[in-house]
Amino acid sequence: MKTNTSINFAERGCLFVAALGILLLTACAELLPTAKPPPPGYYSIDNTHNTISTKPVVRTLPSTAPSLVVGTPLAVAGFDSQRIIYVRQAHKLEYFAHNEWIDTPARMLSPLIVKAIENSGAFRAVLRTPSSARGDLRLDTEVLQLQQEFNGSPSRVRFVLRANLVEDITRRVIASREFEAVVAANSDDPYGGVIAANEAVRIVLEKLAAFCAQAAANSRP
């Protein structure tokens, strides 16, 4: 009987010590500072205004010079969100955890496309949808890729854009092309990728503006 009582007291003592240890650990955990995730970074595609001349080319346009409606750019699946994409393996898209675009790349491109084509001086007017006005031609674009690639050193950003120039009334395609630019990043991190992405966009938009101007000239009677 005495032995059983001694065992019970010993068991209770062990339980008390264990409970006390849990309480102490909980108290210490509450007192220790918790690690906070880094604040998210939000980035834009916009510096093409600084590298593409903001002054339109001054030239005398013929009376037959067309007007152009720029449709809202689209994006293929996987590239239609604000998440910044990077690639380490072929066919596998990954996303930076705490870094995003301020809007989808397609929507950020819309005003930049209009500005680049206006600066070509090849069109009587360049309109951006939605607009009640109709144009002679319409430009439809789609983002096929915008990704930072880490399969080499340094990393690089690849931007691919598809463009279709059509007659606005008949919807007849008069010209179609894909444009690609690959730019090395200055640093292998999201910000380095953002800077490279802006440069890749600048390169593609210059090619796009020249393409639209040439196609419009060729389509005139």
Side-chain angles (χ1 to χ4, degrees), residues 59 66 68 116-117 120-123 137 165 206-220:
R59 63 181 61 172
L68 177 70
I117 295 175
S120 72
F123 296 91
L137 302 175
L165 196 63
E206 285 188 345
K207 294 178 181 179
L208 176 65
F211 160 76
C212 290
Q214 186 61 54
N218 293 341
S219 70
R220 287 199 296 266

Side-chain angles (χ1 to χ4, degrees), residues 62-144:
S63 58
T64 56
S67 57
L68 177 70
V69 174
V70 177
T72 301
L74 303 176
V76 298
F79 295 89
D80 54 354
S81 75
Q82 293 177 226
R83 306 179 76 177
I84 299 179
I85 296 173
Y86 69 92
V87 174
R88 292 181 293 182
Q89 296 176 314
H91 315 300
K92 182 180 180 181
L93 303 183
E94 301 180 75
Y95 308 94
F96 289 110
H98 303 292
N99 298 273
E100 293 185 358
W101 298 114
I102 59 172
D103 202 345
T104 65
R107 283 198 291 263
M108 287 190 288
L109 280 175
S110 185
L112 303 181
I113 291 174
V114 171
K115 176 61 68 175
I117 295 175
E118 282 180 337
N119 291 345
S120 72
F123 296 91
R124 188 171 69 254
V126 181
L127 309 172
R128 178 181 168 189
T129 57
S131 173
S132 58
R134 297 190 65 91
D136 300 303
L137 302 175
R138 177 184 174 92
L139 175 67
D140 293 320
T141 55
E142 185 175 30
V143 176
L144 303 183

Side-chain angles (χ1 to χ4, degrees), residues 1-13:
M1 212 47 198
K2 290 181 179 179
T3 302
N4 291 338
T5 302
S6 298
I7 293 174
N8 289 337
F9 276 126
E11 291 176 346
R12 291 175 182 175

Side-chain angles (χ1 to χ4, degrees), residues 27-46:
C28 290
E30 291 179 352
L31 291 174
L32 290 174
T34 57
K36 295 182 178 179
Y42 295 99
Y43 302 100
S44 63
I45 299 174
D46 60 9

Side-chain angles (χ1 to χ4, degrees), residues 110-201:
S110 185
L112 303 181
I113 291 174
V114 171
K115 176 61 68 175
I117 295 175
E118 282 180 337
N119 291 345
S120 72
F123 296 91
R124 188 171 69 254
V126 181
L127 309 172
R128 178 181 168 189
T129 57
S131 173
S132 58
R134 297 190 65 91
D136 300 303
L137 302 175
R138 177 184 174 92
L139 175 67
D140 293 320
T141 55
E142 185 175 30
V143 176
L144 303 183
Q145 286 181 309
L146 180 59
Q147 60 193 35
Q148 188 171 2
E149 300 174 346
F150 289 93
N151 49 9
S153 183
S155 64
R156 56 187 188 174
V157 169
R158 184 182 306 273
F159 176 50
V160 183
L161 185 74
R162 177 190 292 133
N164 292 312
L165 196 63
V166 303
E167 290 182 342
D168 198 28
I169 296 177
T170 65
R171 304 302 296 169
R172 180 178 68 90
V173 177
I174 64 172
S176 181
R177 186 173 298 176
E178 287 186 10
F179 302 92
E180 179 178 22
V182 179
V183 177
N186 292 328
S187 56
D188 291 334
D189 55 21
Y191 187 66
V194 167
I195 299 301
N198 272 271
E199 175 64 11
V201 167

